[in-house]
Amino acid sequence: MLTRRRFLGYSTAGLLTAATGCTPPFLEDPADRDAHSSGTVHPSLANKAGLARLKNRFLGYPVNLTMPSEEFFAWRQELQSVGIGQFAYNNVGNPYKESAIPYNTHDLERELIAGMSKLYAFPPQDIWGFLSHSGTDSNMHGMYMGRTLLQGRTGKLPKVYFTREAHYSIQILRDLLGLDAVFVDTLPDGGMDPSDLERKLADNVSRPALVVATVGTTFKGAVDSLDRIRQALKGHSYYLHLDAALFGGYLPFTAHAGEVAYRSTADPGTPRYDSIAVSCHKFFGFPAPAGLFITTKSRFEEFNELFGRIHDPEYIHQVPGTITCSRDAVKPAEFYYFSTPEAQERLARDARSMLANTSWLMERMQSRFSGWQPARMNDLSNTVFFRRPSDRLVKKYSLATMHLTIGSQRLDYAHVVIMPHADRGVLTEFLDDLEKDPPGF
């Protein structure tokens, strides 16, 4: 079997044929596949091929539709050559403990978390994490860990604090975990208002606080100030989970990396949050939903001691520490590629290009379409929102839409999220379409 180093050392032209002896199906043209197909093709596949040709117009949601590099597919092929993805591998349990099931990828999962935790300035000797099924799954683990720790420390269930700008999964998980919600007001830019958080905490002093902060809110791209939130939390028993699903992917490769850092350079001894969730299919462009969940080993061990009183399945030889039991072993092995130096060089280029394109679009919307009320909340954001265009454009570019209250008015808005696949060509096409489609407001 080829080693990963030798495998990825092939030139891109001969990379995949060297490994497999043929061009794998994921790099063939769909039309060529159809021409050589001898079996019955499912009728929906022709439509899927058409969608693939239009993917650059997908502007409304934070999913990176750029095809991963050939090296990623080569790595996937190498994994398959040893059986990973070919039969039932299972990452059940804690990846940092020996598993009763030898068919796992815990070793790659540990390496992945070690590599990714550097992006968020976690102490290298004090990390714990895993690859979850999705960003929502990572948020669930963070909120469940916070609930368990706070109840264990105080004997009381916490209340959960978040804003209405936070992702809708937080409200679902709040309900699932049986927690009382405290909605914190927002600042004009959509970020959490630390002064209102302080007032709400004062109104609920008898209960610990589980706070979910957001770096990159769903519609406006606002950023909650972690440092000001921590100031408001002084004197309270709290757990602070950070939902950085989209922004947590690209900010570490920019001058704004400190926004998602676990420790600040000014005060390296004080953690800025307790756990972080980042989606893998958003900025990174991993071709399936998955999520990073990272916390510290010391915090996990405190949690797992409490968790073990609830759930101690002797037959798997460990207290798993995860809510989900069986876990996908293929995704962490595949996503491991994105922690490698070659992948991170490309991610850094994508991050720079994405923010530059966001600035470019915002400037042109302000100069050509000021009546559409375009807004970008901050320089960290890859989101521009504006008054809702016609149904035709909403459909053509798959735009997300929402009702927003501006002053005393409730108005219809849409937004564009600039992902790496959204180049200036498609953004120019979008602007030209706006010009041909005068607003109906």
Side-chain angles (χ1 to χ4, degrees):
M1 185 187 78
L2 290 172
T3 65
R4 177 182 176 280
R5 184 181 299 276
R6 183 180 167 201
F7 199 89
L8 296 182
Y10 282 99
S11 68
T12 54
L15 187 66
L16 294 163
T17 52
T20 64
C22 62
T23 302
F26 49 74
L27 288 184
E28 290 179 0
D29 184 272
D32 293 339
R33 279 209 303 276
D34 292 344
H36 295 95
S37 174
S38 57
T40 302
V41 178
H42 192 282
S44 74
L45 293 185
N47 181 51
K48 298 287 188 283
L51 282 174
R53 287 190 286 271
L54 296 174
K55 63 185 176 64
N56 281 14
R57 288 182 181 164
F58 186 78
L59 299 181
Y61 295 88
V63 181
N64 181 358
L65 294 184
T66 301
M67 183 179 286
S69 66
E70 290 185 352
E71 290 84 358
F72 167 78
F73 288 109
W75 174 240
R76 174 184 271 182
Q77 198 77 9
E78 186 177 353
L79 293 172
Q80 291 177 352
S81 74
V82 297
I84 297 170
Q86 301 300 303
F87 61 91
Y89 269 64
N90 193 324
N91 273 16
V92 64
N94 181 351
Y96 295 82
K97 294 287 186 182
E98 185 175 353
S99 175
I101 299 173
Y103 302 103
N104 66 67
T105 61
H106 282 162
D107 51 350
L108 289 170
E109 191 169 27
R110 290 192 299 271
E111 287 186 43
L112 165 65
I113 296 302
M116 288 297 185
S117 66
K118 293 177 184 176
L119 297 178
Y120 309 107
F122 275 84
Q125 304 307 316
D126 190 20
I127 54 170
W128 187 91
F130 67 100
L131 197 84
S132 73
H133 298 298
S134 66
T136 296
D137 192 23
S138 294
N139 281 334
M140 177 170 66
H141 277 80
M143 291 175 67
Y144 180 64
M145 181 176 283
R147 189 192 79 165
T148 303
L149 288 174
L150 291 171
Q151 189 173 23
R153 292 168 186 169
T154 68
K156 299 176 181 178
L157 269 180
K159 291 188 176 184
V160 59
Y161 296 74
F162 57 99
T163 74
R164 296 189 186 275
E165 300 281 349
H167 191 263
Y168 65 88
S169 66
I170 306 305
Q171 297 201 42
I172 296 170
L173 296 171
R174 190 280 313 166
D175 182 58
L176 180 68
L177 293 170
L179 298 175
D180 293 334
V182 180
F183 288 100
V184 183
D185 291 344
T186 55
L187 299 167
D189 69 357
M192 184 180 286
D193 183 348
S195 297
D196 188 61
L197 173 63
E198 201 164 3
R199 287 190 291 271
K200 299 285 172 60
L201 289 165
D203 291 339
N204 295 278
V205 289
S206 63
R207 301 271 287 279
L210 170 56
V211 180
V212 180
T214 306
V215 171
T217 59
T218 306
F219 194 80
K220 294 180 181 176
V223 174
D224 295 346
S225 172
L226 292 178
D227 297 324
R228 293 183 64 196
I229 288 170
R230 281 181 50 245
Q231 281 292 116
L233 285 165
K234 279 188 175 179
H236 295 269
S237 180
Y238 73 90
Y239 183 101
L240 179 54
H241 173 69
L242 180 58
D243 179 9
L246 169 60
F247 285 30
Y250 67 81
L251 286 181
F253 301 101
T254 73
H256 308 292
E259 292 289 341
V260 288
Y262 175 76
R263 299 182 297 186
S264 70
T265 52
D267 186 13
T270 304
R272 299 175 68 237
Y273 52 83
D274 293 287
S275 56
I276 186 171
V278 181
S279 293
C280 301
H281 53 288
K282 292 187 175 175
F283 170 69
F284 295 105
F286 185 60
L292 290 167
F293 175 76
I294 305 177
T295 186
T296 60
K297 179 183 177 184
S298 50
R299 200 165 279 107
F300 170 76
E301 287 175 345
E302 181 189 357
F303 160 78
N304 209 38
E305 193 280 323
L306 296 165
F307 184 69
R309 301 175 194 176
I310 302 164
H311 182 57
D312 188 1
E314 185 178 348
Y315 69 97
I316 67 166
H317 304 175
Q318 58 162 279
V319 177
T322 56
I323 300 170
T324 43
C325 300
S326 290
R327 289 193 294 109
D328 191 338
V330 178
K331 283 182 179 178
E334 291 185 344
F335 191 71
Y336 169 82
Y337 172 76
F338 290 86
S339 69
T340 62
E342 56 266 340
Q344 297 206 350
E345 285 178 15
R346 181 182 180 183
L347 292 170
R349 290 194 299 271
D350 283 348
R352 291 192 295 269
S353 173
M354 202 169 70
L355 291 182
N357 284 341
T358 307
S359 297
W360 182 89
L361 177 66
M362 182 61 191
E363 288 166 5
R364 276 148 187 78
M365 288 201 72
Q366 284 178 322
S367 63
R368 293 174 58 184
F369 305 105
S370 59
W372 293 78
Q373 301 169 11
R376 181 189 185 194
M377 290 293 92
N378 51 72
D379 292 340
L380 289 66
S381 176
N382 65 333
T383 303
V384 176
F385 64 97
F386 45 88
R387 293 293 298 275
R388 188 188 194 279
S390 69
D391 290 344
R392 183 182 72 85
L393 294 191
V394 168
K395 183 176 181 179
K396 178 177 178 178
Y397 295 99
S398 301
L399 300 181
T401 61
M402 277 189 72
H403 299 295
L404 299 181
T405 301
I406 308 294
S408 61
Q409 291 183 294
R410 188 171 169 80
L411 305 172
D412 292 334
Y413 274 76
H415 76 188
V416 164
V417 184
I418 310 299
M419 300 302 290
H421 67 267
D423 59 24
R424 293 192 186 180
V426 74
L427 295 178
T428 298
E429 181 184 351
F430 171 70
L431 291 170
D432 289 345
D433 274 345
L434 279 182
E435 196 159 43
K436 299 169 191 171
D437 193 63
F441 45 84

